[in-house]
Amino acid sequence: MVIQSIIHVLIAFFFFLACYMKMQNISEFKYEIMTYNVIPRRLAPLAAYLFLALEWVIAGLFLFHNKGPLKEVLAVGLLLLFALVLHIKKSGVQSCTCFGELSWLNRRPIARNTTAAAVILLNAAVVPGGSFLSAVESSFVFLSFVLILFLVQARSNHQQLKGVKAIE
């Protein structure tokens, strides 16, 4: 049960991080959706917000150990959709802007997404269910990850501001 809770927290954090980093530069995300040429350009902003909402919902479903296959179906479906669209866009895509400025997470997005989908499916097949206590524990660990993310982002912003002041 502990291992499943850790996996759920990591999956939730993965989707939260993807959502958070895309929101940092939503214009770039909308533009990237346009470049895929899969949907009409005028629908790209709507698609961007729908994807962000879906990532947020998936993170919440995993974080709070939603019972049933909904979280796995949504997560695997979204990951494979992104992998398929990236494959259609350009075979052998080496990077994307899925995680904004976290370039090390943007490498090999097709392999990353298919591996994440496999982990989610394997986790669902091995250990079903969850409890309220594990959801509370997972929430604490997840919020710790989020706090670390915000602290790293604040430090990065502070360093950028120091660089700008030094130039002036």
Side-chain angles (χ1 to χ4, degrees), residues 38 46 49 54 64 66 84 88-89 102 122 126 140-141 150 168:
V38 175
L46 176 63
Y49 291 114
L54 188 54
F64 295 109
N66 180 300
L84 177 66
I88 290 169
K89 179 180 179 182
L102 295 175
L122 182 62
V126 173
F140 178 74
V141 172
F150 284 133
E168 294 174 347

Side-chain angles (χ1 to χ4, degrees), residues 54-111:
L54 188 54
E55 286 175 337
W56 185 260
V57 166
I58 291 169
L61 290 173
F62 274 97
L63 184 61
F64 295 109
H65 298 278
N66 180 300
K67 294 184 183 194
L70 178 64
K71 65 186 177 295
E72 287 87 2
V73 169
L74 290 175
V76 169
L78 186 63
L79 289 167
L80 294 180
L81 173 68
F82 284 159
L84 177 66
V85 169
L86 284 165
H87 179 72
I88 290 169
K89 179 180 179 182
K90 180 179 177 189
S91 194
V93 174
Q94 294 299 312
S95 70
C96 63
T97 60
C98 307
F99 288 92
E101 294 184 20
L102 295 175
S103 59
W104 62 276
L105 280 174
N106 288 328
R107 292 186 209 130
R108 303 195 190 285
I110 295 171

Side-chain angles (χ1 to χ4, degrees), residues 128-143:
S131 70
F132 176 74
L133 184 57
S134 64
V136 171
E137 292 166 350
S138 296
S139 299
F140 178 74
V141 172
F142 177 79
L143 291 174

